[in-house]
Amino acid sequence: MPTISIEQKLLRQLLSRYGIEHDIEKMAHELPLLGTDIDTCDEKTLDIEIFPDRPDLLSGETLAKAIRPFLYGAKSEPELDVKTGPVKMTVDSELEHIRPVILGAIVRSVETGKSAEEKDEFIKALMDHQEKLHFALGRGRRRASIGVHDLSKISPPFHVKAMPSSTSFSPLASAEEMTLDQILTSHPKGIDYAHLLKDMNAYPIIFDSNNQVLSFPPIINGNQTTVSHSTRDFFIDVTGWDRRACESSLMLIALQLAERGGRIESVEVTGFDGSVEHLPQSTPLEHQVTERLLDGLLGRSLNDDEISAAINRMGGRYLGRNKASETTNSAVTKMSDIIEGDTVLRFAMPRWRFDILHPVDLVEDVAIGHGYEDLGTDVPKAPLTSIPRSDNHIRRRLRESLQGLGLMQIQSLTLSN
């Protein structure tokens, strides 16, 4: 499981901004239910393990946002506070077959710290979050790759073009220019990720209005846009092949910066197909779960107040219930198909909750938010006395004989028959 290190001082600052006092004992007791576990703790730092199904908790800032309603009863905020910005980005049609998903966002006036040490910690945390998202959502930058730039050093509007391998620029941490071919064959990052652009005749490059290279995704950023101690305004680009992974990555980096006082602005992106959209989107996603599925899996019924309180703890919002005739099947997957007479429960969940793939995931969130200890008890409705399988004896003798011949037995966990 990935582990993040959070300065106790930073966590106190992030919580005190909302009038919440940092309570390490409360966190240690209840955080495992949220999908995290405190690994080590000292006076300065918390090392927290994040379960793989919660990539939205991979930074101290996004974790702080999640624990406010979960531990301290704060009102959830499934929306992202995004202002319409003036910056535009255009994607050439050739990118359709090179790297089709291109997204962007701007975050201004970020509080990066007062001392040089605090600024260094901020930059380290930002880069660490970026790399963890590359692993968790980007699948090694294949599905999604992230670039973070100092907005003060570049000039909008931006243009994403397909360029030949002879194109040159100065990559991150290098004052000398290199061609794209040289980067892919001799630069450490190029060597690591060249396989993502294998057999391509042209490569994606993001330029600003002065024809300065911002990024060569998914390989490396340009040196001129490096984030430094003086950086307070950021441009974020996310490119890839998986729209959902890219959008979640974009929102989580923006959310991390917003938690430090930043203001998120949308970027108008003209895609390779000519479509125009403003990103990131601020509205949450609506999900539907049948009451039949919720009650069936939990083993008891919850009233509206209980459901609302439970989903608020998990960062979402309960929108109420409708009869089946007032809804459509489009948002409900097979395991939660609507039948005549069903009651459908509606939820608004943050777009960055990449782990919500199915109505059962919402049922799990309600169960965690409500508390497993308060779901009641029951007894089996049928006798469950077990008897040995008729072939058990011969199977045991076969296993022991094969082990005696020097073979190694591996028995995986069995979840079903």
Side-chain angles (χ1 to χ4, degrees):
M1 292 189 294
T3 301
I4 61 172
S5 294
I6 309 173
E7 293 290 327
Q8 296 262 24
K9 179 181 178 181
L10 172 62
L11 200 52
R12 288 191 187 92
Q13 291 173 348
L14 294 171
L15 294 175
S16 64
R17 192 188 297 256
Y18 295 85
I20 297 171
E21 185 175 346
H22 177 37
D23 187 340
I24 187 64
E25 292 185 5
K26 189 178 185 70
M27 290 179 62
H29 180 68
E30 298 191 42
L31 271 184
L33 285 174
L34 185 62
T36 69
D37 198 6
I38 295 179
D39 189 16
T40 58
C41 173
D42 58 36
E43 293 182 357
K44 290 187 61 178
T45 308
L46 277 173
D47 290 335
I48 299 180
E49 289 185 344
I50 307 298
F51 296 171
D53 64 336
R54 291 301 301 269
D56 58 303
L57 307 178
L58 290 173
S59 75
E61 293 84 356
T62 55
L63 178 63
K65 182 176 178 66
I67 67 177
R68 288 198 297 268
F70 186 78
L71 296 182
Y72 302 105
K75 184 179 179 181
S76 63
E77 298 174 330
E79 301 87 3
L80 195 65
D81 187 9
V82 181
K83 308 298 182 185
T84 302
V87 174
K88 299 181 180 181
M89 181 164 63
T90 304
V91 181
D92 281 358
S93 59
E94 291 86 351
L95 270 296
E96 178 181 5
H97 303 292
I98 298 175
R99 206 158 180 82
V101 182
I102 313 284
L103 313 178
I106 285 174
V107 186
R108 300 183 187 273
S109 303
V110 177
E111 298 172 9
T112 61
K114 297 179 180 179
S115 66
E117 183 181 3
E118 289 179 347
K119 292 178 185 292
D120 281 336
E121 287 296 329
F122 161 75
I123 294 173
K124 180 182 177 182
L126 179 61
M127 298 302 104
D128 184 63
H129 189 203
Q130 183 178 335
E131 288 308 311
K132 282 184 167 59
L133 291 176
H134 280 156
F135 171 78
L137 298 181
R139 295 296 186 265
R141 304 193 186 187
R142 180 181 297 277
R143 291 186 176 182
S145 63
I146 307 163
V148 182
H149 314 274
D150 186 336
L151 184 62
S152 67
K153 299 176 182 177
I154 51 182
S155 302
F158 307 121
H159 199 162
V160 189
K161 303 179 183 180
M163 301 299 293
S165 60
S166 58
T167 305
S168 62
F169 71 100
S170 298
L172 187 67
S174 174
E176 297 182 3
E177 288 197 352
M178 301 174 69
T179 66
L180 304 186
D181 191 50
Q182 288 174 330
I183 291 173
L184 293 174
T185 55
S186 60
H187 193 283
K189 291 295 184 184
I191 295 171
D192 287 344
Y193 299 105
H195 64 280
L196 300 178
L197 299 175
K198 186 179 179 181
D199 299 328
M200 290 188 178
N201 297 320
Y203 303 108
I205 297 290
I206 304 177
F207 293 94
D208 71 357
S209 61
N210 295 325
N211 222 31
Q212 177 181 222
V213 174
L214 275 64
S215 180
F216 171 25
I219 309 300
I220 195 165
N221 288 346
N223 186 52
Q224 295 90 337
T225 70
T226 303
V227 172
S228 66
H229 285 191
S230 61
T231 306
R232 295 200 64 205
D233 299 338
F234 297 80
F235 172 65
I236 309 162
D237 75 78
V238 180
T239 70
W241 290 87
D242 186 313
R243 167 71 188 219
R244 195 159 171 267
C246 288
E247 187 172 11
S248 295
S249 298
L250 179 73
M251 299 186 82
L252 288 169
I253 293 292
L255 188 61
Q256 179 187 19
L257 299 175
E259 282 292 301
R260 287 179 172 264
R263 303 190 314 272
I264 304 174
E265 288 184 4
S266 64
V267 172
E268 182 183 298
V269 179
T270 302
F272 67 83
D273 57 356
S275 62
V276 178
E277 55 183 339
H278 291 82
L279 300 163
Q281 299 184 49
S282 60
T283 55
L285 288 175
E286 183 174 328
H287 301 267
Q288 300 181 20
V289 180
T290 60
E291 186 178 40
R292 173 170 47 87
L293 179 66
L294 183 74
D295 294 353
L297 291 178
L298 298 188
R300 59 161 292 186
S301 297
L302 300 178
N303 60 40
D304 283 351
D305 289 340
E306 290 174 319
I307 295 173
S308 181
I311 207 65
N312 181 85
R313 290 190 73 200
M314 303 304 292
R317 182 177 299 124
Y318 179 53
L319 302 177
R321 59 183 73 205
N322 302 92
K323 288 295 182 183
S325 59
E326 301 170 15
T327 65
T328 64
N329 286 349
S330 60
V332 184
T333 57
K334 288 183 179 179
M335 193 170 179
S336 189
D337 280 340
I338 296 175
I339 60 176
E340 186 177 353
D342 264 342
T343 298
V344 176
L345 311 175
R346 297 166 47 239
F347 301 90
M349 299 299 291
R351 286 180 177 270
W352 56 85
R353 283 291 303 276
F354 186 84
D355 57 302
I356 298 178
L357 304 173
H358 190 279
V360 168
D361 296 320
L362 268 298
V363 176
E364 181 185 34
D365 266 20
V366 171
I368 294 172
H370 181 74
Y372 287 117
E373 73 284 352
D374 192 28
L375 292 178
T377 58
D378 202 354
V379 295
K381 301 296 190 297
L384 299 175
T385 304
S386 62
I387 59 174
R389 289 170 54 108
S390 58
D391 60 351
N392 178 69
H393 183 60
I394 185 65
R395 289 162 64 93
R396 178 184 57 78
R397 293 187 65 183
L398 282 171
R399 288 197 302 269
E400 291 177 352
S401 298
L402 290 171
Q403 287 177 328
L405 291 171
L407 277 71
M408 179 181 293
Q409 179 182 184
I410 299 175
Q411 186 170 350
S412 58
L413 295 175
T414 303
L415 299 181
S416 73
N417 59 357

